[in-house]
Amino acid sequence: MSYLETTADVYRQAAQEPQVGLCCTTNPVWQLPGLRIPQRMLSMNYGCGSTVNPRDLTGSPTVLYVGVGGGMELLQFAYFSRRPGAVIGVDVVPEMLEASRANMLEAEAQNEWFRREFVELRAGDALHLPVPDESVDVAAQNCLFNIFKLDDLRRALQETYRVLKPHGRLVMSDPTCEQPMSEELRADERLRALCLTGSLPLQQYLDLITSVGFGTMEVRAKRAYRVLSPQHYATEELIYIESVEVCAIKDPMPADGPCIFTGRTAIYYGPDELFDDQKGHTLLQNQPLAVCDKTAGALLALGRTDIFVSPSTYFYDGGGCC
């Protein structure tokens, strides 16, 4: 049995009998006017964060969500795109599609604004998306891509890049881990399916995403997620896992490499009203400016004593140097 078949078995069981805590999001559920989420959807919230952000969802976009779970994020996306077929949910597990379909019936009963036809559920997987080229505005996945081994992860990212329109957004939440894991842990297919031992270091994760062509990356949040202790797992030290929320934008790749925002800020505090680096970046006197890591490095390389550049906060909410 391949690791992908093991994963399908895990989520087949989770579709038939909701397993609260299978994944554990630390995010509060969106409280939006008129939105009611059925209890079974909440119980099947198999994610490690949130991929729903109102600033990604203006203008009633077409949204693709891969790995439907109980359908909670499908419903949340439909809140912003209230038209037939606006939200496409793709899953490889027939039982999960059926569970999500049943949950949509309950959601329709509980929400006056919601219609089942807003959400279209399709059989398929992240490696072979049943979606035409450049046909969606926003693609999302929550605690799915971390399950893939590297070659499959690269393929899933390439597929998502293919179906996004120019300047479209890939919004993701995945576990990451900076510590090495034993080969025994990495080879455990069930632990990989449970979103534990496929976790990559954050920089490797970001590098893989930009390697398929995404020109802009935003690291929006990073949180504590899990620990693997020696008492319970094949490890000699406590392993700390975090969840990260990122947005990859299908912008053209800059000649000097991608713009990756990790929550760094530059502040000019010199004698003049502003500082202009002659490369398109203007810092007003004592006013913070969000900068990508590339710009942060360039400003630090100037060696000036009147520019402060913060370390990465791994919190970013828009704006900045690019």
Side-chain angles (χ1 to χ4, degrees):
M1 179 181 290
S2 75
Y3 83 96
L4 293 176
E5 291 172 323
T6 299
T7 300
D9 281 346
V10 167
Y11 288 94
R12 184 174 296 110
Q13 296 171 27
Q16 295 167 337
E17 185 62 38
Q19 298 178 30
V20 178
L22 175 65
C23 288
C24 179
T25 177
T26 55
N27 283 29
V29 176
W30 278 102
Q31 300 295 314
L32 296 166
L35 173 63
R36 298 187 63 186
I37 299 175
Q39 184 56 50
R40 186 177 173 86
M41 271 189 179
L42 289 170
S43 299
M44 298 176 69
N45 181 21
Y46 304 141
C48 63
S50 177
T51 62
V52 181
N53 190 314
R55 68 185 174 90
D56 298 326
L57 302 171
T58 58
S60 188
T62 298
V63 180
L64 169 69
Y65 189 73
V66 187
V68 299
M72 188 183 81
E73 288 187 285
L74 294 172
L75 177 63
Q76 292 174 322
F77 283 124
Y79 184 90
F80 295 93
S81 293
R82 304 183 185 188
R83 55 184 174 79
V87 181
I88 303 164
V90 172
D91 207 292
V92 72
V93 180
E95 291 84 355
M96 196 64 82
L97 288 169
E98 285 306 310
S100 184
R101 195 168 283 116
N103 289 344
M104 291 301 162
L105 283 171
E106 182 60 28
E108 189 175 45
Q110 293 187 23
N111 293 274
E112 291 184 0
W113 59 268
F114 179 63
R115 301 290 179 269
R116 280 169 289 170
E117 57 264 28
F118 295 170
V119 177
E120 180 183 341
L121 295 172
R122 299 181 186 178
D125 63 70
L127 307 180
H128 311 88
L129 291 172
V131 181
D133 294 357
E134 298 188 354
S135 60
V136 299
D137 300 290
V138 177
Q141 65 84 20
N142 195 334
C143 215
L144 169 65
F145 281 12
N146 76 99
I147 293 172
F148 291 128
K149 295 182 178 180
L150 288 179
D151 286 346
D152 288 336
L153 174 55
R154 191 172 288 104
R155 172 64 178 167
L157 290 167
Q158 289 169 339
E159 269 291 273
T160 310
Y161 189 89
R162 174 184 67 81
V163 303
L164 279 171
K165 297 176 183 177
H167 308 293
R169 295 173 174 236
L170 168 58
V171 188
M172 301 179 288
S173 181
D174 277 309
T176 61
C177 181
E178 302 305 316
Q179 296 165 264
M181 293 190 191
S182 68
E183 287 305 312
E184 185 176 350
L185 282 176
R186 291 290 189 192
D188 190 312
E189 294 180 354
R190 181 169 177 81
L191 292 181
R192 182 176 284 273
L194 293 174
C195 302
L196 294 174
T197 58
S199 306
L200 298 174
L202 178 59
Q203 191 59 56
Q204 183 181 4
Y205 178 77
L206 297 178
D207 288 345
L208 278 165
I209 296 167
T210 56
S211 73
V212 304
F214 289 99
T216 303
M217 283 282 301
E218 303 175 354
V219 180
R220 294 178 169 178
K222 191 165 72 163
R223 309 179 171 81
Y225 175 64
R226 289 284 196 275
V227 294
L228 305 182
S229 69
Q231 294 96 321
H232 300 96
Y233 299 93
T235 175
E236 295 181 357
E237 65 175 3
L238 191 74
I239 295 177
Y240 172 51
I241 302 175
E242 297 174 290
S243 69
V244 64
E245 294 176 12
V246 304
C247 175
I249 304 174
K250 193 176 178 178
D251 289 338
M253 181 66 69
D256 58 351
C259 294
I260 301 178
F261 288 87
T262 60
R264 304 190 74 173
T265 298
I267 302 176
Y268 167 66
Y269 56 93
D272 300 321
E273 291 185 3
L274 57 84
F275 169 76
D276 185 346
D277 70 353
Q278 305 300 314
K279 296 180 181 178
H281 310 116
T282 301
L283 304 178
L284 299 179
Q285 228 273 358
N286 212 26
Q287 296 296 312
L289 176 70
V291 291
C292 71
D293 288 7
K294 186 172 56 180
T295 300
L299 291 172
L300 288 170
L302 296 175
R304 295 182 64 104
T305 59
D306 55 4
I307 295 177
F308 169 82
V309 180
S310 78
S312 297
T313 62
Y314 301 106
F315 173 81
Y316 177 76
D317 60 0
C321 67
C322 303

